[in-house]
Amino acid sequence: MKADKIILGVLGGVAVGALLGVLFAPEKGDKTRKKIMDKSNDYADELKDKLDTLLGTINKKYEKIWSEGENLIAQGKSKFDDAKHEGETLLSEGKSKFYDVKNEIKNTSI
């Protein structure tokens, strides 16, 4: 954002300088007002273009971050599902071994 502030400051300084130059030029009032209006329109268009570019850049970065966030969430969900499945498998195997040992103990005569 610091570079954007510098750009806006420079554009503002250039606009003020051009305005002062036109105001102090030795021409009729109509011509001076027309020049001021033309310069104002030029700077307004230039500023609008710069802001559009800035907003486009911000929008692209936002979309990239959003997409990366969605990918991270999907990866996390996938890893969680894999871990859950592995846990369920281990639990099932543990129960099976438990019942095997239980039956073995039951069938052993002391």
Side-chain angles (χ1 to χ4, degrees):
M1 283 302 229
K2 193 172 187 177
D4 301 329
K5 289 180 181 180
I6 292 172
I7 290 171
L8 290 175
V10 168
L11 285 175
V14 170
V16 169
L19 179 64
L20 290 174
V22 170
L23 283 175
F24 289 108
E27 291 187 0
K28 288 185 175 183
D30 290 341
K31 287 184 180 180
T32 302
R33 283 190 294 275
K34 183 173 178 0
K35 280 186 176 181
I36 290 172
M37 187 59 87
D38 290 343
K39 288 286 184 185
S40 298
N41 288 337
D42 290 345
Y43 287 123
D45 291 341
E46 187 176 337
L47 183 59
K48 183 183 178 299
D49 290 341
K50 296 278 185 194
L51 288 175
D52 287 344
T53 301
L54 176 63
L55 289 175
T57 301
I58 290 171
N59 191 33
K60 284 179 186 176
K61 287 182 180 180
Y62 171 79
E63 288 175 357
K64 180 181 176 186
I65 290 170
W66 186 266
S67 176
E68 289 175 358
E70 287 179 333
N71 288 339
L72 285 173
I73 290 171
Q75 288 175 358
K77 185 177 184 300
S78 175
K79 287 181 180 181
F80 175 77
D81 289 342
D82 291 346
K84 180 181 172 188
H85 177 70
E86 186 176 334
E88 289 171 346
T89 301
L90 289 173
L91 180 63
S92 175
E93 289 173 2
K95 283 182 181 179
S96 176
K97 287 181 182 180
F98 172 77
Y99 288 121
D100 289 346
V101 170
K102 181 181 173 185
N103 288 333
E104 188 176 316
I105 291 172
K106 217 182 218 187
N107 294 333
T108 304
S109 60
I110 298 182

